[in-house]
Amino acid sequence: MKPTVHDIAVHAGVSLATVDRVLNNRPGVRHETRAKVDAAVAALGFVRDMAAANLAKGRVYPLTFILPSNDNSFMRGLAAAVGDAIARAAVERLAIRIIEVPAFDPQALVAALREAGREKPAGIALVAVDAPEVRAVVDELVEAGIPVVTLVSDLPGSKRQHYAGIDNIAAGRTAASLMGRFLGREPGSVAVLAGSLVVRDHRERFEGFRAVMAAEFGHLHLLPVLEGRDDPATAERVLREALAAHADIAGIYSLGAGNRGLVRLLKEVRRDRRPAVIAHELTGTTRAALTDGLIDAVLNQDAGHEVRSAIRVLKASADGQSVVEAQERIRLDIFLRDNLP
Amino acid sequence: MKPTVHDIAVHAGVSLATVDRVLNNRPGVRHETRAKVDAAVAALGFVRDMAAANLAKGRVYPLTFILPSNDNSFMRGLAAAVGDAIARAAVERLAIRIIEVPAFDPQALVAALREAGREKPAGIALVAVDAPEVRAVVDELVEAGIPVVTLVSDLPGSKRQHYAGIDNIAAGRTAASLMGRFLGREPGSVAVLAGSLVVRDHRERFEGFRAVMAAEFGHLHLLPVLEGRDDPATAERVLREALAAHADIAGIYSLGAGNRGLVRLLKEVRRDRRPAVIAHELTGTTRAALTDGLIDAVLNQDAGHEVRSAIRVLKASADGQSVVEAQERIRLDIFLRDNLP
DNA sequence: CTGTTAGCGCTTTCAG
DNA sequence: CTGAAAGCGCTAACAG
């Protein structure tokens, strides 16, 4: 039978209360007593029953999610995933609160983090904006003992516990490999449509894409990055101009959002002259385009998985437990017409 | 505050014991009483605290995994994943038992299922062999109230609760799409290396592959399937013969195991004459070959995810709970050199 | 058929 | 600094 606190108490010759104090590193226990308990724990191979502990404590995990109020399909999906988590909140002892902040606004994010921190939640998840002041507050929070994880967009160099998102450099490299393979040996130009290169994910994707294109597919010419601001209309306009200016565009890599504009444009292109197209995020638009043969591949991150992972990590971190590493690695999904979920 | 059994008891004007009886559909409660309790549950929005219930019951979930004693990398990985689960068994209230059976042997599998069933576990997971007698025992077990899930290889038409594995037809289709794209417009032959077409996964992958090749890439010629018996030496031999017989082989789809033989052979081929190669399962061999540029893409299923999913589903099924559907869909991973984990 | 009572393993007052 | 006792939400005998 698995040993319980009771067994530990007997073995160590102390009371339950003392065992509990030691187990939870609470003050008010003599060094020697502590040692006796530790010895008993080791001797009996005791592992705490977290479920019972949580029951006794009536513990709930107040978690705060800070999400950009960006209105694109992906962010809506992310918000929906958090909503799903809220639906399961009762049974998982969660109390999830969402704070919305304007996108790409470091100041707003800092303010939101401060606000979140004041309520001393069991953990905070945020879609990071890569700015020094954000890094500073995150570090403060972590040092104050509040676990923080970044979601979708990371904050490297900060003290955040974990990043629940894909490797964007690998995503860009993968896109380049696929593009190169799809285009074959004939020369041509490749256009890249980003939201904005001031955003870290987009910059990293481009970086990875550029690197592999240069190293492996020298016969393809990479055009200057087009910035579509994640906005369908803008994306359509800049792409239309690019297509007009460069007759030899054989491929398009859309690494940001706003793919509705891209797809509208693609529909106008004669089927046999359509470029190879790789886009990000499986949404209604990209899924339909994939099915219709307008887009050739979609690189995706699973928002549901990211949110569940963030929650698992925050919970575990809140009570000093470890996680199944492999389970928390967010995968880059590659969707073709044939393996749509 | 969340309502508890106590609140229900008061609201319904009955005792705790009666509430418990109703909640667990235990016999010995008058219809009217039952209705009162149900009403109270609905009125107060009561949700049972499974953690507390499990604590009171001292519940553990004895689960039985029936795995083939096949010695290939993938099956070893699967066994390792079950091993990881066993390591976490204590904290998750699991008692996992593994039964090994000879691969592809319906009789042995039937015997193992019978044996597993006699111990009345909380659930059974098996790598199915697609045979009527297996289907029959599985159905018996399910009807006897033991949840059953198939792992990696499904048993369609049976009463199994769930299939924790990839869609193999989609996998084959995806392989074909990639192959077609990789090869471009020039004609050529494509070889398919299977373990054996009597195995359902392999048959389905081939089916999907063939369908897309025929529909989309008519200029490519699909050679008759080679059966390598998931054995490196055999695979190497049959492939070598095929390459000798058909000088125009431009692509190889290896949809089974035994890729060590394939890779050995590929190393002999002059770099500029190397065919496009797509294989299944990310193992040491395929990973290295991917890195070295000998294999172009690897389709993979995450054994760890499959095992964790099977456990979640069995547990949930054992106590009549529902699962997060999206979380239990096993994805087909596509790995290129650039997105290796 | 229904209620009472004593736990499950851990935490938490409140006294010593 | 340490211990005794009550209780988290639920279940399981055992009586009625």
Side-chain angles (χ1 to χ4, degrees):
Chain A
M1 208 46 207
K2 235 178 44 173
T4 74
V5 272
H6 216 100
D7 303 320
I8 302 296
V10 174
H11 193 102
V14 298
S15 77
L16 291 185
T18 300
V19 172
D20 187 61
R21 288 186 189 103
V22 174
L23 256 34
N24 293 287
N25 302 309
R26 266 191 282 273
V29 184
R30 242 191 333 175
H31 228 78
E32 310 170 24
T33 321
R34 194 173 287 273
K36 279 196 293 188
V37 174
D38 285 337
V41 166
L44 304 189
F46 171 81
V47 283
R48 182 124 116 271
D49 182 334
M50 270 320 230
N54 285 341
L55 172 60
K57 284 202 272 228
R59 188 171 187 14
V60 290
Y61 299 81
L63 301 183
T64 305
F65 275 73
I66 305 180
L67 305 178
S69 54
N70 233 1
D71 188 41
N72 62 54
S73 295
F74 176 71
M75 282 304 166
R76 273 202 302 276
L78 191 69
V82 178
D84 289 351
I86 292 179
R88 287 170 288 123
V91 34
E92 308 208 13
R93 303 190 114 83
L94 299 172
I96 295 176
R97 196 192 146 205
I98 297 182
I99 302 182
E100 284 212 351
V101 295
F104 311 132
D105 182 342
Q107 298 311 323
L109 186 49
V110 165
L113 281 164
R114 288 239 151 80
E115 180 192 339
R118 264 194 302 280
E119 296 166 338
K120 303 245 167 282
I124 298 176
L126 74 154
V127 178
V129 173
D130 190 5
E133 55 270 44
V134 175
R135 211 177 320 265
V137 208
V138 165
D139 287 359
E140 272 173 38
L141 290 168
V142 172
E143 263 151 21
I146 302 179
V148 176
V149 309
T150 48
L151 196 63
V152 177
S153 186
D154 195 14
L155 196 55
S158 72
K159 298 190 156 64
R160 93 279 184 283
Q161 253 79 14
H162 180 80
Y163 163 54
I166 58 169
D167 177 342
N168 285 297
I169 294 182
R173 296 180 60 89
T174 303
S177 272
L178 286 174
M179 183 64 81
R181 289 289 173 54
F182 287 177
L183 293 184
R185 275 180 297 272
E186 280 169 39
S189 291
V190 173
V192 173
L193 174 67
S196 157
L197 287 193
V198 306
V199 189
R200 183 173 198 102
D201 343 6
H202 290 197
R203 220 167 50 227
E204 290 185 344
R205 288 175 192 172
F206 176 63
E207 224 12 81
F209 189 78
R210 200 186 49 68
V212 170
M213 288 302 280
E216 313 258 330
F217 307 105
H219 62 290
L220 295 172
H221 174 59
L222 196 57
L223 299 173
V225 178
L226 306 167
E227 306 205 35
R229 319 203 51 194
D230 285 0
D231 171 62
T234 312
E236 182 174 358
R237 184 171 51 70
V238 297
L239 256 182
R240 187 182 300 280
E241 290 166 8
L243 285 175
H246 307 272
D248 69 335
I249 289 182
I252 299 176
Y253 175 36
S254 166
L255 55 75
N259 283 318
R260 285 211 308 284
L262 164 67
V263 170
R264 265 201 305 267
L265 186 58
L266 289 172
K267 282 186 177 151
E268 298 173 10
V269 179
R270 266 182 42 201
R271 191 157 194 87
D272 57 327
R273 302 206 35 227
R274 203 177 54 69
V277 180
I278 299 176
H280 269 264
E281 313 311 350
L282 192 65
T283 62
T285 303
T286 54
R287 171 189 283 273
L290 210 44
T291 308
D292 296 347
L294 293 173
I295 290 183
D296 299 276
V298 168
L299 306 187
N300 183 67
Q301 53 188 322
D302 185 325
H305 187 185
E306 291 175 327
V307 169
R308 288 189 297 269
S309 175
I311 291 174
R312 274 195 301 265
V313 172
L314 286 177
K315 261 176 109 164
S317 187
D319 27 61
Q321 306 257 293
S322 68
V323 295
V324 183
E325 271 308 326
Q327 186 171 193
E328 312 308 346
R329 204 193 51 245
I330 307 296
R331 282 178 291 195
L332 175 67
D333 295 328
I334 302 176
F335 290 116
L336 307 182
R337 192 185 7 39
D338 309 283
N339 65 328
L340 280 173
Chain B
M1 210 42 209
K2 239 178 42 174
T4 74
V5 271
H6 217 99
D7 303 320
I8 303 296
V10 174
H11 193 102
V14 299
S15 76
L16 263 349
T18 300
V19 173
D20 186 61
R21 288 187 187 102
V22 175
L23 256 34
N24 293 287
N25 303 309
R26 267 191 280 272
V29 184
R30 242 189 333 171
H31 228 77
E32 311 171 24
T33 321
R34 196 172 284 274
K36 279 196 293 187
V37 173
D38 286 337
V41 166
L44 303 189
F46 171 82
V47 285
R48 179 124 119 273
D49 182 335
M50 273 318 247
N54 285 341
L55 172 59
K57 284 202 272 228
R59 187 166 186 21
V60 290
Y61 299 81
L63 301 182
T64 304
F65 275 73
I66 305 179
L67 305 178
S69 54
N70 232 359
D71 188 43
N72 62 52
S73 295
F74 176 72
M75 283 305 167
R76 273 202 303 277
L78 190 70
V82 178
D84 289 351
I86 292 179
R88 286 170 289 122
V91 33
E92 306 207 15
R93 304 189 110 81
L94 299 172
I96 296 176
R97 187 185 157 214
I98 297 182
I99 302 182
E100 285 212 351
V101 295
F104 312 132
D105 181 343
Q107 298 312 324
L109 186 50
V110 164
L113 280 165
R114 288 239 151 79
E115 180 192 338
R118 265 194 301 280
E119 297 167 338
K120 303 247 168 277
I124 298 176
L126 74 153
V127 177
V129 173
D130 191 3
E133 55 270 44
V134 175
R135 213 179 318 268
V137 208
V138 165
D139 287 358
E140 272 173 37
L141 289 168
V142 172
E143 263 151 19
I146 302 179
V148 176
V149 309
T150 48
L151 196 62
V152 177
S153 186
D154 196 14
L155 196 56
S158 73
K159 296 190 156 64
R160 94 280 184 285
Q161 253 79 12
H162 181 79
Y163 163 54
I166 59 169
D167 177 342
N168 285 299
I169 295 182
R173 298 180 58 90
T174 302
S177 271
L178 286 174
M179 184 63 82
R181 288 289 175 57
F182 287 177
L183 293 183
R185 276 180 296 272
E186 280 168 36
S189 291
V190 173
V192 173
L193 173 67
S196 157
L197 287 194
V198 306
V199 189
R200 180 169 199 103
D201 343 7
H202 291 197
R203 220 168 49 230
E204 290 186 344
R205 288 175 191 171
F206 176 64
E207 225 10 83
F209 188 79
R210 201 187 47 68
V212 169
M213 287 303 280
E216 313 258 330
F217 307 105
H219 61 290
L220 296 173
H221 174 59
L222 197 56
L223 299 173
V225 177
L226 307 167
E227 305 205 36
R229 321 203 51 194
D230 286 0
D231 172 62
T234 313
E236 184 175 357
R237 184 171 50 69
V238 296
L239 255 181
R240 188 183 299 280
E241 290 166 8
L243 284 174
H246 307 272
D248 69 335
I249 288 183
I252 300 175
Y253 175 36
S254 166
L255 55 73
N259 284 317
R260 283 210 309 283
L262 164 66
V263 170
R264 264 201 305 266
L265 185 57
L266 288 172
K267 282 187 176 152
E268 299 173 9
V269 179
R270 265 182 43 201
R271 188 152 198 91
D272 58 327
R273 302 204 36 226
R274 201 177 54 69
V277 180
I278 299 177
H280 269 264
E281 312 312 352
L282 191 65
T283 62
T285 304
T286 54
R287 171 189 283 273
L290 210 44
T291 306
D292 297 346
L294 293 173
I295 290 183
D296 298 275
V298 169
L299 306 187
N300 184 67
Q301 52 188 322
D302 185 325
H305 188 186
E306 291 175 326
V307 169
R308 289 190 296 270
S309 175
I311 292 174
R312 274 195 300 266
V313 171
L314 286 177
K315 262 176 106 165
S317 187
D319 26 60
Q321 306 258 293
S322 69
V323 294
V324 182
E325 270 309 325
Q327 187 171 190
E328 312 308 345
R329 204 192 53 244
I330 306 297
R331 284 178 290 194
L332 175 68
D333 295 328
I334 303 176
F335 290 115
L336 306 181
R337 193 187 6 41
D338 309 283
N339 66 328
L340 282 173

